[in-house]
Amino acid sequence: MSDRTINQQPHGPHPHAEPEAHAPHTHGHGSEPDDFAVQIADSVESFVLAVTEVAKGDEPGSVVSLLLLEVSQLLLAGGRLGAIEDVVPEDRFEPDAGPEPDGEQLRERLAELLAPIDVYHEVFDPYGPPEKPNAFRISDDLAGVVSELQHGLTHYREGRVSEALWWWQFSYLSNWGTTCTAVLRALQSLIAHVRLDSPIGAAADGADTDDDGLTDEQLEQQAGDLMAAELGLGR
C-alpha cells in the first residue's frame, strides 16, 4: 500500500458510534440488506473481481482502459457512501473478520503489467499547505484498495450488513476515496497524453521508480509506446 494510506483499522469503539447531527443509517443483525446496501456490495465485488481479472494479464492491450472504467465506477459507489448520513453499526466493537487476504501477488502482477507507467505523482491534500508532489504506484494503490474492500465484503457475506457499510464508508472517507481519485487522474492523464499527442514527462529526480537500468528518456518512450499500442495509435 502506498504512503498515502491512512492505516486506521477500526478495531475498538467505532468513531461514528454516537452521531450528533443526524439520524443513523442502520441495519440490524440478520436483517436483509436494502437496495442501497446490495448496490454498494455489487459495485465493490465487481471492482475486486475486475481488477483481479485484469491482473492476470489475459488482455495486456486493454489494461489502462479497463482500470480507468473500473476505478470510475467504484468512485461512483464511494460518492454515494460519502453523500449519505453516517452509517452506525449495531455493535460497538468490530467483529473479527478473520485473516486479511494477502494482496502481494495482485500487486506484483499489476506492477509487471504497468511497469513503464506504474509510478505517478500526486499532491495528497489539495486543501493542505503547499507541498511537493509525491511519487506513488498504481499497482500499490489498487492492491491496497482491493484489500480494504475485501475486508468489508467479508462482513457483508457473513450477514453483518451495517458493519460492511460502515467499513466501506469509513475507509472511503479516510483512504480509498483519495487513493482512487489520484489513480483515476493518473490513468486519465495517460490516455490524454497519447490521444492529444502530448509527450509523457520523465520521472522527477528522486522518484521511487526502482533501479531498472533504464534512463528517464527510455522510460518515457516505453510509456508512450505502451499507451499508443493499447489505444491502437501509431507513433
Side-chain angles (χ1 to χ4, degrees):
M1 201 175 293
S2 72
D3 292 339
R4 185 188 301 105
T5 302
I6 306 173
N7 190 22
Q8 294 177 303
Q9 297 287 339
H11 290 278
H14 285 286
H16 299 309
E18 298 179 359
E20 298 178 356
H22 37 64
H25 185 94
T26 61
H27 289 271
H29 283 304
S31 64
E32 289 296 321
D34 59 20
D35 288 344
F36 178 81
V38 171
Q39 291 165 11
I40 295 298
D42 285 348
S43 295
V44 166
E45 186 167 26
S46 175
F47 179 83
V48 170
L49 291 175
V51 172
T52 302
E53 286 299 311
V54 168
K56 291 179 180 178
D58 294 337
E59 298 184 52
S62 303
V63 171
V64 173
S65 299
L66 290 173
L67 291 178
L68 178 71
L69 290 173
E70 294 302 328
V71 173
S72 297
Q73 292 180 38
L74 180 63
L75 280 172
L76 174 59
R80 297 181 68 191
L81 286 165
I84 65 170
E85 70 248 13
D86 292 344
V87 177
V88 181
E90 185 171 295
D91 291 329
R92 179 172 175 78
F93 295 89
E94 181 187 17
D96 185 6
E100 296 293 329
D102 182 8
E104 186 61 21
Q105 187 176 46
L106 177 65
R107 186 199 67 77
E108 290 177 352
R109 287 177 174 176
L110 288 171
E112 183 177 353
L113 285 170
L114 298 167
I117 53 175
D118 197 15
V119 176
Y120 70 98
H121 303 90
E122 178 73 7
V123 175
F124 175 48
D125 186 356
Y127 288 101
E131 58 183 79
K132 294 181 180 179
N134 294 313
F136 299 99
R137 288 184 176 275
I138 296 174
S139 56
D140 288 347
D141 288 345
L142 290 180
V145 170
V146 166
S147 179
E148 290 190 337
L149 296 177
Q150 286 178 320
H151 184 88
L153 274 176
T154 299
H155 286 307
Y156 185 83
R157 289 166 178 165
E158 294 182 1
R160 297 188 290 268
V161 178
S162 65
E163 191 67 47
L165 286 175
W166 179 85
W167 171 259
W168 287 327
Q169 184 184 60
F170 169 77
S171 57
Y172 165 75
L173 295 173
S174 65
N175 185 41
W176 67 259
T178 302
T179 300
C180 284
T181 300
V183 169
L184 182 66
R185 283 169 49 83
L187 296 171
Q188 188 276 337
S189 178
L190 284 168
I191 292 178
H193 273 295
V194 174
R195 291 283 176 85
L196 301 177
D197 197 24
S198 174
I200 298 175
D205 291 340
D208 177 22
T209 56
D210 291 340
D211 184 9
D212 50 16
L214 298 176
T215 65
D216 288 344
E217 290 74 17
Q218 288 171 321
L219 282 171
E220 178 182 349
Q221 182 65 39
Q222 279 194 15
D225 290 345
L226 177 66
M227 284 303 302
E230 176 169 328
L231 297 172
L233 303 174
R235 286 178 64 88

